[in-house]
Amino acid sequence: HLFANAHNNNSMPNPTFTCKTSEGDFVLELFVDQMPYTASNWIGLAKDGFYNGIQFHRVIPGFMLQFGCPNTKTGAGRPGTGGPPGGSSFTNLADGKVYKRASDGCVQDELTAKISNKPMTLSMANTGRPNSGGSQFFINTAHNNFLDFFDHSSPSAHPVFGKVVKGMDVIKNIEACGSRGGALSKTITMISITQN
């Protein structure tokens, strides 16, 4: 089954990654134990260098920081509309199987673990349509429970698949560069993402 529970035993810690940005570094833990498919999609992109050189394109103070659109690096399209290469693949770290992204680069929604969109959690961005996420994600800076797939107060369904474990001050600094409309007061770029 696509979203079978991870086969990791409890002694296997979740992987962490250092995100080096033009505003400083922060560290993410990816929930391979609870959200193996979504976390593995992100890890595959990070290890391939996909995120290197991409800019935060939408930051709303008191809400979230959105990132992961390749158009911010290439200029090929409107920021917020890009994703991974269509038909590309990644390895699910829980079951070892290789999964292929759709022709538009999208992945399946992994709506399994009920982890709330609390401050400093990492959540999958999408267009609002099912299975429309790809490479874009956001870091919550407030408890945005209305974005939880299991909270029926809104139709939004954004699964949480990681959290910030170090560098919260950097997240706050990036957040301070945002605006109510999401535009940033300066360019903030992801320089590199490396596994710890």
Side-chain angles (χ1 to χ4, degrees):
H1 185 263
L2 189 62
F3 304 125
N5 287 335
H7 299 297
N8 291 352
N9 60 35
N10 290 337
S11 64
M12 272 289 274
N14 281 324
T16 61
F17 289 79
T18 297
C19 299
K20 184 179 179 64
T21 80
S22 54
E23 281 295 302
D25 300 357
F26 60 89
V27 178
L28 299 174
E29 174 188 346
L30 279 295
F31 297 156
V32 173
D33 59 343
Q34 297 177 78
M35 296 291 286
Y37 175 85
T38 307
S40 296
N41 170 64
W42 188 94
I43 291 168
L45 291 167
K47 286 187 170 181
D48 288 346
F50 178 88
Y51 292 122
N52 299 353
I54 290 179
Q55 300 166 8
F56 285 84
H57 67 273
R58 185 169 171 247
V59 174
I60 301 174
F63 182 34
M64 60 90 220
L65 288 56
Q66 192 169 342
F67 175 82
C69 178
N71 296 349
T72 65
K73 179 167 67 172
T74 64
R78 190 165 52 86
T81 60
S88 56
S89 59
F90 65 95
T91 301
N92 185 322
L93 299 175
D95 62 16
K97 293 180 183 170
V98 174
Y99 291 91
K100 200 169 188 176
R101 297 181 183 96
S103 61
D104 58 1
C106 291
V107 293
Q108 298 290 305
D109 292 332
E110 185 177 23
L111 306 178
T112 53
K114 292 184 175 181
I115 308 166
S116 191
N117 280 270
K118 290 182 178 173
M120 298 297 157
T121 56
L122 189 65
S123 192
M124 200 68 182
N126 58 46
T127 66
R129 294 190 326 273
N131 306 316
S132 61
S135 60
Q136 294 186 49
F137 62 91
F138 57 92
I139 297 169
N140 290 290
T141 59
H143 190 183
N144 298 314
N145 56 299
F146 65 94
L147 299 178
D148 298 339
F149 69 88
F150 49 91
D151 179 321
H152 302 294
S153 66
S154 82
S156 296
H158 297 277
V160 171
F161 64 98
K163 68 179 179 182
V164 178
V165 293
K166 190 176 178 186
M168 283 80 163
D169 56 327
V170 174
I171 300 300
K172 290 293 182 190
N173 290 344
I174 296 171
E175 180 183 27
C177 295
S179 65
R180 275 180 54 176
L184 283 82
S185 59
K186 67 177 179 179
T187 300
I188 300 173
T189 305
M190 184 69 68
I191 298 163
S192 64
I193 298 178
T194 51
Q195 187 165 359
N196 299 318

